[in-house]
Amino acid sequence: MTTPRKTRVAIVFGGRSTEHAISCVSAGAILGALDPDQYEVVPVGITRDGQWVLAGDDPSALAITDRKLPEITSASGASVVLAESELIVRDPVDGVSSLAGVDVVFPVLHGAYGEDGTIQGLLEMAGLPYVGANVFASAAAMDKEFTKKLAAVEGIPVGPYAVLRAGVSLSEADKERLGLPVFVKPSRAGSSHGITKVTDWADLDDAVATARQIDPKVLIEAAIVGREIECGVLESEAGGAPDASLLAEIHVGDNDWYDFETKYITGGGYDLPAGLPDEVTRQVQDYARRTFTALDCAGLARVDFFVTADHQIFLNEINTMPGMTPTSMFPLMWAATGLEYPKVVDRLVRTALRRGTGLH
């Protein structure tokens, strides 16, 4: 009897964004979760300067060890070139070879050049099915301005904000409208990079300059006093409405927000499930599904909200390729809902294969 060919999954990770290391950690977790009897994994790392290399397949090499973050370098492996449905390996010793027949790509890239539609467009042109949102949805979700605009059109509440494009300063009218404190953040970034809490308008220019080191377009958000609530969303296996997970409440402790250190290094406190009234939980889950659909997402997303003391709900942001590390809330929420990490990863690959290529 002929042994069925395993599904070949190319995991692409690393990348040029400020979230390079977290992408590596996410990839290591996915490597460890894919069933080797069912899947043949091709790990492709992207260095910080954009080189593609054939990386090792040891998940432990991509973990955070003694607070040291993993990184892909040009020395990590032979160079790789993406062609139509193939990955071409250029090894200085063994020459050129082809990893023909890649069935699906799992682009576990967070932030710019990965979660913003960039690699999705490349994969569309190469004719390769891939996990996650398409070009438009990735770009719209990555840009917090357009996330808020699309959500608002669908009746999903968003808090007061202002957008500063390159060379533009915050007007006095907007200062009056937003009040203090405000959060200043890059419009297109993740993992809490470049965010400053401003409690005095005299500090605004420095905060904007910090954000513009990452993105010339800056978002100024009025502070919302409330609980930080997150919800995981998965594309339906049956092709219907997306599924929403149990909710998690994030506790930031002494910090002003859920920062990079708390997310990935020290680990933050959280309640899972969040202790919200049933009707508020259902409303947040409904808003999470509707945000997913409004942005035309696919595969997966983590949708974040603020819930005030009087149970008003405001959308914070949506991540179309959320962190998939062992401490990331997306897999933790689904595990609490009854879908363990390996089953989440398997479902993402299967729904991507079913969806195929093209606009979806």
Side-chain angles (χ1 to χ4, degrees):
M1 181 180 294
T2 303
T3 302
R5 185 177 75 84
K6 297 178 183 180
T7 300
R8 178 170 280 171
V9 182
I11 301 178
V12 181
F13 61 97
R16 296 171 58 193
S17 83
T18 54
E19 299 177 76
H20 176 103
I22 300 309
S23 173
C24 292
V25 180
S26 291
I30 293 168
L31 271 167
L34 284 168
D35 183 356
D37 293 331
Q38 185 177 355
Y39 297 107
E40 178 185 351
V41 178
V42 181
V44 179
I46 302 178
T47 67
R48 291 185 185 275
D49 61 0
Q51 298 180 64
W52 290 42
V53 298
L54 189 62
D57 59 0
D58 178 8
S60 65
L62 296 171
I64 299 174
T65 305
D66 297 328
R67 299 177 62 91
K68 182 179 180 181
L69 300 173
E71 181 173 356
I72 294 297
T73 68
S74 57
S76 299
S79 65
V80 172
V81 177
L82 177 67
E84 290 187 11
S85 299
E86 294 187 5
L87 294 168
I88 309 300
V89 180
R90 292 175 176 170
D91 192 299
V93 177
D94 298 328
V96 177
S97 61
S98 172
L99 295 169
V102 171
D103 297 299
V104 62
V105 176
F106 201 133
V108 57
L109 293 159
H110 310 309
Y113 309 110
E115 202 177 345
D116 58 0
T118 306
I119 195 168
Q120 288 77 13
L122 181 63
L123 295 172
E124 294 275 1
M125 289 191 294
L128 281 165
Y130 56 90
V131 172
N134 65 14
V135 176
F136 169 78
S138 298
M142 185 70 183
D143 192 318
K144 297 176 180 65
E145 175 191 6
F146 290 101
T147 296
K148 292 176 185 294
K149 286 181 174 178
L150 289 168
V153 168
E154 293 298 319
I156 299 161
V158 298
Y161 70 97
V163 177
L164 303 185
R165 288 174 169 76
V168 176
S169 300
L170 191 66
S171 69
E172 292 302 320
D174 277 333
K175 289 179 182 179
E176 181 70 22
R177 176 174 63 87
L178 298 174
L180 286 171
V182 294
F183 285 96
V184 180
K185 59 181 68 174
S187 186
R188 296 161 288 203
S191 283
S192 303
H193 289 289
I195 298 179
T196 305
K197 181 180 181 180
V198 172
T199 58
D200 187 324
W201 291 123
D203 300 325
L204 179 65
D205 289 346
D206 286 343
V208 170
T210 297
R212 281 183 172 152
Q213 291 176 7
I214 297 175
D215 187 352
K217 184 166 71 169
V218 173
L219 205 68
I220 315 289
E221 295 178 335
I224 296 175
V225 178
R227 300 160 68 177
E228 295 199 23
I229 304 296
E230 299 187 347
C231 182
V233 180
L234 282 170
E235 177 182 345
S236 170
E237 292 189 278
D243 297 319
S245 73
L246 293 177
L247 307 184
E249 178 177 1
I250 305 301
H251 299 294
V252 299
D254 295 331
N255 298 323
D256 289 321
W257 68 92
Y258 196 32
D259 63 5
F260 182 90
E261 178 84 5
T262 304
K263 282 182 181 178
Y264 300 114
I265 306 299
T266 61
Y270 58 86
D271 291 331
L272 209 179
L276 291 171
D278 290 346
E279 64 272 18
V280 179
T281 295
R282 287 191 292 268
Q283 185 64 76
V284 171
Q285 290 172 324
D286 177 63
Y287 282 155
R289 294 188 191 97
R290 287 169 56 188
T291 303
F292 187 92
T293 302
L295 272 68
D296 201 24
C297 292
L300 73 164
R302 193 196 74 237
V303 192
D304 302 345
F305 298 90
F306 296 113
V307 178
T308 66
D310 60 353
H311 296 151
Q312 293 185 73
I313 302 166
F314 295 94
L315 174 67
N316 181 18
E317 64 179 16
I318 178 171
N319 290 268
T320 54
M321 188 56 69
M324 298 287 283
T325 76
T327 61
S328 295
M329 291 313 305
F330 182 83
L332 290 175
M333 287 187 290
W334 279 109
T337 308
L339 199 62
E340 296 295 333
Y341 193 101
K343 291 184 178 180
V344 170
V345 173
D346 179 72
R347 175 168 168 172
L348 290 171
V349 172
R350 286 187 287 105
T351 53
L353 284 167
R354 183 197 68 208
R355 198 183 321 114
T357 58
L359 296 177
H360 51 268

